[in-house]
Amino acid sequence: MCQLLAMNSFKPARLDFSLAGFLRRGGETGEHADGWGAAFFGEEGCRHIIDEQASARSPLAQAVQQQAVSACNIIVHIRKATRGAVTSENCHPFVRKLWGREWAFAHNGTLEQVDASATGHFRAVGQTDSELAFCSLLNALREEFGEQAPELQAQIDCLDAVSAKLARHGSFNFVMSNGETLFARRATELSYVQRAYPFGCARLLDCAMNIDFARHNHLDDRMVIVATAPLTDEAWQPLPQGEVIAFQRGMAHTASPMQFAV
């Protein structure tokens, strides 16, 4: 299946260390060689990048790493095709606009017989079950709340209910962001780690790279990294299974705050 990576940060941050390991899984240390994509949310909106080449061999992926883009929310996906041809239109993340914000979505798993609603505002362009599921989520939000965004908890509750219905059709791990909030759902595999003061050191599992985060961060920096499989030797923890979790400013937004392993 595909691989997911996402970040939610208190302040704009770079993800190039994690990307150095993650993108190697697209055709080098992993079999996910059917395209990749990323969405970086900055002050000017969402920078959306997709490429049907394997990320481990993509010149565009190398350029993104060299640019070291800073953002508060980032979503990255490397694809192993199960539905739809290996084309750019089927590469995640998918992006749509709702409530004046761009939303980006990436999915890991396979869903059977997903109906995005022929009368819905949001329609799929490619042939993937993932894009259909994304349109289903956004259609549900728009139909439930109209043209005005509700409070965050109402969004979580709606996404949780619709996700549970979609999950009846297969495996539904996803990450989604509107540039302010990162939403994530684990069905099978999805883990997280929080990086905050006091910062430690980490080693990538996919290549020989180490970092001392204390040398690159300020005392008030704080971020959460979410990935299908741990990227480093840090104390990653699985997300709660079968529910939508939201992250803002590098922390979880839940009724019972999650205890992060730092």
Side-chain angles (χ1 to χ4, degrees), residues 9-89:
S9 179
F10 175 52
K11 297 187 295 185
R14 292 163 45 183
L15 195 60
D16 42 313
F17 175 70
S18 296
L19 277 175
F22 181 74
L23 293 175
R24 288 173 182 256
R25 296 180 178 180
E28 183 175 320
T29 62
E31 59 183 352
H32 316 86
D34 298 324
W36 71 281
F40 298 86
F41 288 90
E43 293 181 356
E44 297 181 357
C46 176
R47 179 185 177 188
H48 184 209
I49 301 165
I50 51 175
D51 184 1
E52 62 193 65
Q53 296 187 63
S55 60
R57 300 184 291 272
S58 166
L60 183 57
Q62 294 177 11
V64 167
Q65 293 179 76
Q66 292 170 359
Q67 291 172 11
V69 180
S70 293
C72 285
N73 285 273
I74 301 173
I75 289 178
V76 191
H77 179 275
I78 52 179
R79 184 177 183 230
K80 180 181 178 182
T82 56
R83 293 288 181 86
V86 180
T87 61
S88 58
E89 66 183 7

Side-chain angles (χ1 to χ4, degrees), residues 42 116 129 153 181 241 252 261:
D129 52 326
Q153 190 57 55
T181 306
Q241 190 170 30

Side-chain angles (χ1 to χ4, degrees), residues 234-248:
E234 297 167 279
W236 292 72
Q237 299 293 324
L239 284 169
Q241 190 170 30
E243 63 178 288
V244 173
I245 302 297
F247 298 94
Q248 285 188 335

